[in-house]
Structures are given as structure tokens and as C-alpha cells.
């Protein structure tokens, strides 16, 4: 069973399945997060939806490149969670199944492609305090509590 975080399921809402992949990109005690200035104005793990026909790792690398400009290596799956949420930028409610991968940064290679995103390095405890959803915070804590 995939753990669920954040809002409860709302009766009467038709949720669309929206698989996605997200990255915990770490260096020492730091983690690379994105700040999304549009729609919600929030800090998030880099990542997003997996397009139809796209593989999970292809989507991971694409989303990291688009949102942070970083090249990463050694992706390792650390878990998954689900959340039910409104996605006003797409005009629907979604059941998001979020696959989380731990990656190592190689170097900043490309300009950020998403105009409303910026990449921010911060200490993992600071990131834990500002990440917008509990599932992201849970996997961040779990990764760093392993030592």
C-alpha cells in the first residue's frame, strides 16, 4: 500500500491519476529544491508529471533539467506516496502518485527552462521546514535520518 499524505479524499470529486517523479538531490547536508513562483508560490522537490509513454527515469532527468538546470547521477528509488490535490494550472483534481529518487548532483549544465522556477540549495532542515507537502518532507527526513 502506498502511503497517503496531505488532504483527505473529497467525496464527489472525480480525480485523475497523475503519476510523477521527484528528486532528493543532496550534497553533504544540503538539498536542491525549487521555488515555484506561479500558481502556489511554494518550495518543492524538483520533479513533475510523467508524460504518456515516457519512462520514470527519463521523466526524472527531464524534470530536473527543466526546473534546476542540473545534471545528476546515480538515481536510486527511495519510495512513493500518493496525495489528492487540486491542480488549478491544469484545471482538474488529481490523485498524484509521487515516485521519489535520491540523486547526486554533477554540475549545473543548462539554464532553467521553467520561467517561474528557481533552484535553491539549502540545509535539509531548512528545506524540511519550507517544502509544501508532507510527502516530500517525510522522504527528506527519512533520507537524512539514516545518517
Amino acid at each position: 500500500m502506498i502511503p497517503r499524505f496531505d488532504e483527505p479524499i473529497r467525496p464527489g470529486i472525480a480525480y485523475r491519476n497523475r503519476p510523477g517523479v521527484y528528486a532528493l538531490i543532496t550534497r553533504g547536508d544540503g538539498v536542491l529544491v525549487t521555488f515555484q513562483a506561479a500558481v502556489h508560490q511554494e518550495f518543492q522537490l524538483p520533479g513533475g508529471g510523467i508524460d504518456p509513454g515516457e519512462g520514470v527515469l527519463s521523466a526524472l532527468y527531464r524534470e530536473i533539467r527543466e526546473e534546476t538546470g542540473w545534471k545528476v547521477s546515480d538515481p536510486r528509488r527511495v519510495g512513493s506516496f500518493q496525495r489528492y490535490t487540486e491542480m488549478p494550472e491544469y484545471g482538474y483534481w488529481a490523485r498524484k502518485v509521487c515516485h521519489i529518487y535520491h540523486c547526486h548532483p554533477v554540475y549545473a549544465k543548462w539554464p532553467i527552462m521553467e520561467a517561474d522556477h528557481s533552484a535553491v540549495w539549502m540545509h535539509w532542515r531548512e528545506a524540511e521546514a519550507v517544502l509544501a507537502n508532507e510527502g516530500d518532507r517525510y522522504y527528506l527526513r527519512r533520507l537524512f535520518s539514516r545518517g
Side-chain angles (χ1 to χ4, degrees):
M1 178 143 182
I2 300 173
R4 182 174 53 81
F5 293 96
D6 294 329
E7 291 189 36
I9 299 168
R10 294 183 183 196
I13 292 181
Y15 292 94
R16 290 187 192 180
N17 284 325
R18 176 78 171 157
V21 61
Y22 301 87
L24 287 163
I25 303 168
T26 62
R27 180 172 56 198
D29 285 340
V31 62
L32 184 62
V33 298
T34 60
F35 179 74
Q36 180 180 331
V39 184
H40 300 291
Q41 295 190 353
E42 61 190 20
F43 286 96
Q44 309 168 333
L45 293 181
I50 301 169
D51 293 334
E54 184 177 35
V56 173
L57 290 179
S58 295
L60 178 70
Y61 287 124
R62 176 182 54 77
E63 288 286 348
I64 292 168
R65 181 180 68 247
E66 290 174 358
E67 294 185 0
T68 71
W70 277 80
K71 178 177 175 62
V72 297
S73 67
D74 305 318
R76 182 179 52 85
R77 187 177 180 282
V78 295
S80 296
F81 69 93
Q82 60 184 326
R83 57 191 291 252
Y84 292 78
T85 187
E86 183 179 14
M87 297 185 72
E89 62 271 34
Y90 299 108
Y92 61 81
W93 288 79
R95 173 188 177 252
K96 296 180 76 172
V97 176
C98 306
H99 304 283
I100 309 297
Y101 281 76
H102 179 219
C103 303
H104 298 281
V106 178
Y107 52 86
K109 181 174 182 176
W110 303 280
I112 295 173
M113 298 170 71
E114 303 237 1
D116 60 345
H117 284 69
S118 55
V120 181
W121 282 100
M122 59 179 65
H123 190 276
W124 76 269
R125 290 202 184 272
E126 181 183 0
E128 179 186 19
V130 299
L131 284 171
N133 77 71
E134 180 55 35
D136 289 353
R137 293 188 299 268
Y138 170 81
Y139 280 104
L140 178 68
R141 275 190 308 271
R142 195 170 125 187
L143 180 69
F144 278 95
S145 67
R146 289 183 180 169

